[in-house]
Amino acid sequence: MATLSSGPIENNPVSGVRPTQQVTIRLANRAADSLTVSVQGYVLSTTRTLYVSEVISIAPNEAVTRNYFADLDAYEFVFETDTEGAEQVGISVWGKQASGQLVDAHRVVEHEKNS
């Protein structure tokens, strides 16, 4: 089983507005077989509370995009797969403003994930 994490992402308000209101997750399967990825999102405060729990099936050479609420002070996403081709999964996490504009400080691309 492979477990990857975005790590904690701080999203404190600036002038009363949090930089990120929505998170876009993109999963790409570069393997020859289908695979399943468990996506878990956590609100981080004095406790770590699960607020997103989804299992996503991805066909070979398919990319899947999901959008999640993120107007929170801090959050983290964890990805798990028990497929042997786990290293063939590309994962990126993108924070977005309400307008849809990307928040550079809140992006995690494949080579930056924690394992």
Side-chain angles (χ1 to χ4, degrees), residues 51-77:
Y51 83 104
V52 170
S53 181
E54 183 175 9
V55 176
I56 302 170
S57 295
I58 310 169
N61 298 312
E62 179 183 28
V64 175
T65 302
R66 294 288 192 272
N67 295 304
Y68 302 107
F69 176 82
D71 195 1
L72 309 160
D73 285 337
Y75 57 90
E76 177 182 18
F77 279 85

Side-chain angles (χ1 to χ4, degrees), residues 18-22 95-103:
R18 289 185 187 88
T20 292
Q21 285 83 41
Q22 180 180 0
K96 292 183 178 179
Q97 297 175 347
S99 65
Q101 184 174 351
L102 296 176
V103 178

